[in-house]
Amino acid sequence: MDLDNLLPDVGEYGTYQKRLLWFVLLPCVLPCGFHAYNQLFMAASPQHWCYVPELKHLDIKEAKQLSIPKSNNGKLSQCLMYDRNYTAIASFPNESVPLGKAVPCKYGWTFDHSEYKETIVTEWNLVCNKDFYPTGALVLLAIGGLIGNYIFGYIQDGLGRKPAFFIYLFIETVFGIGTAFMNSFWSWVLFRFGVGFTVPAILATPYVLSIELVGPEYRTTVTILINIAYSIALTLLACIVYLVRDWRLLALYTSVPFAFFFFYLRDMPESPRWLLARGSYAKAEKILNKMAKVNNKPIPPDWFSRKKGECDKIIHDVEDKKHYGVTDLFRTPNLRKKTLIITFIWFTNTSVYVGLSYYAPLLGGNEFLNFFLAGAVELPTYLILWPAMEHWGRRCALSSSMIFGGLSCVLTIFNQENEFGTWLGLVLYCCGKMGISCSYVVLPLFASELYPTVVRGLGMSTSAVVGMLGPIFIPLLNYMGGELPLLVMGVLLLLGGIATLFLPETHHLHLPQTIEDAENFGNSKSKTSTSTKWNSGSCSNQNDTVS
């Protein structure tokens, strides 16, 4: 049974869907936004210099002038000190004492606490020969996300959208809160790996559920709203980290509130589209009856059984009750081609979106403001994207936004160190962020409309898993510094924008339900290609013949 043919009778985007979206699904986006990036500020590395106990009674500037050599760029070194007789300097300040040679810090470091009260870097001295540790922790966070995404696809398609969300919410809350109580770097990394296990998989349920509960004409609307909520989560995180400068408090403030989301257990429904695809008609009927009641759409008592009788096809009954795996995404040629393209674009989008977000603190200036702008700059893009997706379709919107963002990133190679360098680099960065933000909105919607219902969660999870390979390598790229990261990300976006043109358009078309539907959809060689126009009066898809 195709839910798109049932929704007109019970309401495609009525009070039921709006209440669920605004009061349940949109708030459920916040955990992913918070936990994906709060680690950047937990592991922030403030300015530091060698600590010399004999000079602790002196003014900081005076102590640094006496003990710290200058590096090649003319700035005071953060990892070297002069090997001098500081006892003599402290006892006889007017006497000349030889500078001595520059040696690594002997007694630890002094940190600038003007911006951060405490981070893991200042608490565990993760600087100089340990300055790679925070970058390595980001890599492990991404590896956790890769593993979690892979498992999540099976949970979401096997147990359902609702159980999957609350399983991951439990894991994320427990490990997020536990992070605040770790007393060593490696125990902290272990708990952050547990948090990463749920990121970004926990975002899939509010996203997929919102898409599967509304009619074809409203999928763009709910997609935009979900992504607005995600952008707001980033700006809220920027405000929280600005107010909370201690990493332990930050871990608590960005984790404890989500424990209250377990109250949504009663209000969050299972996806009726998933229930129909699995053959759980009784449970789907219960949800649809409630939907009709709240949406004030009267239906007769035998409405569902009558619809089921009209739409019941043996071939669908047999196929929909099968157990599916990743191999089903590659079993048929057309679905295989779409899976490969979607997966490559997902890798590109995830790499660049995460990469640009990670890059924000490296822009210079106030890193809190930079991160706030990185989230806020996404919001205006939706004013353009909303009508663009409606009038131009998904494929054009996705391709053009990736190409625009890619060109903006590539042009940073012309951003030289001159009087225009600072503002030009910021403008190009913001343009690149706007481009990737647009494509990051369109891609999940586009992918959810291309993958069939029976493997939609698995397909999106598989693509997301491969996409998570990007955030594993992006921190290493950013660690190298300079404009190379932006150049690499720009090239990836350009390639992804070109690859998008090889996918079929899905705007105002039925979601494919079965593997057969997905294979026929957009297949120019098929005589019964299911490029299906939305039609509320039909039980089965209206197939357009494609020559």
Side-chain angles (χ1 to χ4, degrees), residues 192-409:
R192 290 305 300 171
F193 183 86
V195 171
F197 184 82
T198 68
V199 177
I202 197 170
L203 180 62
T205 293
Y207 187 88
V208 171
L209 197 56
S210 64
I211 291 296
E212 293 188 339
L213 279 169
V214 301
E217 291 191 335
Y218 299 98
R219 294 200 291 260
T220 300
T221 301
V222 297
T223 297
I224 294 291
L225 291 175
I226 287 289
N227 283 274
I228 287 176
Y230 189 81
S231 298
I232 290 175
L234 299 186
T235 57
L236 285 176
L237 176 62
C239 295
I240 292 172
V241 297
Y242 177 77
L243 297 172
V244 181
R245 307 297 181 93
D246 182 279
W247 75 267
R248 294 184 186 275
L249 291 177
L250 179 60
L252 292 175
Y253 282 24
T254 54
S255 300
V256 172
F258 302 131
F260 294 96
F261 281 20
F262 286 99
F263 287 112
Y264 286 145
L265 269 168
R266 184 188 65 179
D267 298 319
M268 183 183 290
E270 184 52 82
S271 167
R273 192 183 300 273
W274 177 82
L275 291 170
L276 290 174
R278 301 286 292 188
S280 301
Y281 299 121
K283 294 180 179 179
E285 181 181 9
K286 184 178 179 180
I287 295 173
L288 291 171
N289 285 336
K290 182 178 181 180
M291 191 182 300
K293 182 180 179 181
V294 175
N295 288 341
N296 196 24
K297 301 276 284 188
I299 55 176
D302 63 340
W303 168 81
F304 185 82
S305 58
R306 180 161 41 86
K307 286 287 185 179
K308 181 177 181 298
E310 294 173 359
C311 300
D312 202 5
K313 294 183 179 180
I314 296 177
I315 185 172
H316 282 179
D317 284 344
V318 171
E319 182 169 336
D320 289 353
K321 291 178 182 178
K322 289 172 56 179
H323 294 285
Y324 294 94
V326 175
T327 55
D328 290 293
L329 297 170
F330 301 92
R331 183 159 48 88
T332 55
N334 189 31
L335 181 56
R336 178 169 59 246
K337 182 190 77 171
K338 288 183 285 189
T339 298
L340 291 173
I341 295 175
I342 292 170
T343 301
F344 172 70
I345 299 172
W346 210 302
F347 169 81
T348 296
N349 273 255
T350 305
S351 301
V352 178
Y353 185 88
V354 173
L356 288 179
S357 297
Y358 283 176
Y359 197 82
L362 304 178
L363 289 172
N366 189 310
E367 56 189 75
F368 304 110
L369 179 60
N370 290 343
F371 190 81
F372 178 85
L373 292 175
V377 75
E378 299 179 8
L379 297 173
T381 64
Y382 304 133
L383 299 177
I384 303 172
L385 187 60
W386 202 321
M389 291 176 67
E390 287 298 317
H391 294 288
W392 296 342
R394 284 68 159 120
R395 181 173 60 183
C396 181
L398 179 59
S399 179
S400 59
S401 60
M402 293 181 73
I403 291 174
F404 172 76
L407 288 174
S408 300
C409 291

Side-chain angles (χ1 to χ4, degrees), residues 20 63 86 112 124 135 266 292 320 380 421 488 509 534 547:
L20 185 65
Y86 292 104
D112 180 0
W124 297 316
T135 299
R266 184 188 65 179
D320 289 353
V488 172
L509 304 180
W534 176 78
S547 58

Side-chain angles (χ1 to χ4, degrees), residues 133 136-137 140-141 182 184-194:
Y133 282 30
L140 291 174
L141 181 80
M182 296 301 100
S184 70
F185 172 74
W186 295 111
S187 60
W188 178 83
V189 166
L190 177 63
F191 272 72
R192 290 305 300 171
F193 183 86

Side-chain angles (χ1 to χ4, degrees), residues 96-115:
S96 177
V97 178
L99 284 177
K101 63 179 181 179
V103 296
C105 300
K106 294 182 177 181
Y107 312 106
W109 292 264
T110 298
F111 291 91
D112 180 0
H113 291 282
S114 60
E115 290 195 357

